[in-house]
Amino acid sequence: WLLRLSEAAAREGQLQAARAFAEEAIERDPLMVRAYAQLADVAAQAGDAAGISAAIERGIAFEPRSSQSLRQVEAYAWDRMGDRERTLAALEAAVPRGPFSRPQAVLAQIATLRRQTQSR
């Protein structure tokens, strides 16, 4: 419920309220990975680079098993801010590894981003 309120506030440009709702969600359940992702998204919308990094690192600290998905969210946030280098670094950190992983989609995104970066 708090995350829905945060998302609605962010859509309306009420970034302070969006951040407050996401923080309250984290306060109630620090393992709620989506709340950290919401904080990163709000930070990207606000142009707050430090806020993106802080939200992702906080999320990984509380739920390290979700680091790959949080890195993907981080890549989206950096992309939203137009920072291709950080987008690429976050995507590279998000590549799923393990015997049952399927990294093809992330690897394809990385290849596309590298081609775009090299063509500029």
Side-chain angles (χ1 to χ4, degrees):
W1 176 71
L2 289 168
L3 287 179
R4 295 286 182 217
L5 291 174
S6 177
E7 291 165 358
R11 272 193 308 275
E12 294 173 12
Q14 299 173 357
L15 302 183
Q16 294 273 40
R19 188 174 293 117
F21 286 129
E23 288 289 358
E24 187 175 343
I26 290 169
E27 186 176 308
R28 291 182 185 208
D29 182 2
L31 297 177
M32 188 178 293
V33 174
R34 180 64 193 121
Y36 299 101
Q38 178 64 16
L39 279 178
D41 190 49
V42 170
Q45 192 172 341
D48 178 10
I52 294 170
S53 296
I56 298 302
E57 295 309 320
R58 272 177 70 194
I60 291 171
F62 276 101
E63 186 54 82
R65 293 174 296 175
S66 296
S67 64
Q68 291 170 339
S69 60
L70 284 167
R71 292 296 179 198
Q72 288 178 334
V73 169
E74 180 184 28
Y76 171 77
W78 291 125
D79 187 54
R80 188 173 189 175
M81 288 188 58
D83 190 330
R84 290 186 184 263
E85 289 180 25
R86 286 180 171 169
T87 301
L88 185 57
L91 280 175
E92 288 171 341
V95 175
R97 299 182 190 340
F100 302 106
S101 297
R102 295 192 174 143
Q104 295 83 357
V106 177
L107 292 173
Q109 283 181 293
I110 290 169
T112 299
L113 188 57
R114 282 188 181 144
R115 279 193 304 275
Q116 291 173 347
T117 303
Q118 290 172 352
S119 68
R120 289 181 177 215

